[in-house]
Amino acid sequence: MRLEQITIVVEEYDPAIAFFTDVLGFELVEDSPSLTNDGRPKRWVVVRPPGAETGILLARADGERQRAAVGDQAAGRVGFFLRVDDFDATYRRMVDAGVRFVTEPREQPYGRVVVFLDIAGNRWDLLGPA
């Protein structure tokens, strides 16, 4: 058993793809035409960290309820956790790319951590070794 993918609801596909690939360094695994359940065109867009098995489906918000979830998928909590081997280099690269951090880096028993916002406004922990 494995977790294959999760969904992050975004406003638009292309800016989200650029954030995850250019800023975070994820791979674009798939970007294919698809259809909504009622037959309207959409895209099936999946990104994932290099070497990871679990992907993130970037789903463009469809309708008012989904638009309301953009940036608040975990109700204001950190809902996503990105672990890296080189915390300092990754943090510097993200700062240089204009990523918005909502805390300062700090040491915790489980390693270094800082909270950042993705392009939609969801909170993530960037985690590194102690």
Side-chain angles (χ1 to χ4, degrees):
M1 186 182 317
R2 64 188 167 93
L3 181 63
E4 185 167 325
Q5 60 193 25
I6 62 164
T7 298
I8 293 181
V9 181
V10 298
E11 290 184 20
E12 293 294 335
Y13 295 114
D14 293 328
I17 292 169
F19 176 83
F20 282 95
T21 60
D22 298 342
V23 175
L24 295 186
F26 286 26
E27 300 170 336
L28 178 61
V29 177
E30 186 173 359
D31 185 355
S32 303
S34 188
L35 297 173
T36 63
N37 290 336
D38 61 358
R40 291 173 291 120
K42 69 175 186 178
R43 288 160 62 184
W44 187 262
V45 177
V46 179
V47 296
R48 70 175 170 228
E53 288 188 27
T54 303
I56 298 173
L57 175 68
L58 301 176
R60 186 180 63 198
D62 184 15
E64 190 172 320
R65 182 174 180 200
Q66 290 182 21
R67 278 191 291 279
V70 172
D72 196 28
Q73 291 194 203
R77 295 185 58 114
V78 170
F80 307 96
F81 304 82
L82 181 62
R83 183 163 293 277
V84 297
D85 294 329
D86 189 337
F87 181 91
D88 291 329
T90 303
Y91 176 70
R92 279 193 306 274
R93 189 181 87 248
M94 291 171 68
V95 167
D96 290 346
V99 172
R100 184 168 163 222
F101 289 89
V102 297
T103 66
E104 293 296 320
R106 62 191 188 280
E107 298 289 333
Q108 294 293 329
Y110 51 83
R112 299 193 64 204
V113 62
V114 65
V115 178
F116 71 93
L117 302 180
D118 68 17
I119 189 165
N122 296 298
R123 289 175 178 256
W124 289 64
D125 271 358
L126 176 64
L127 301 160

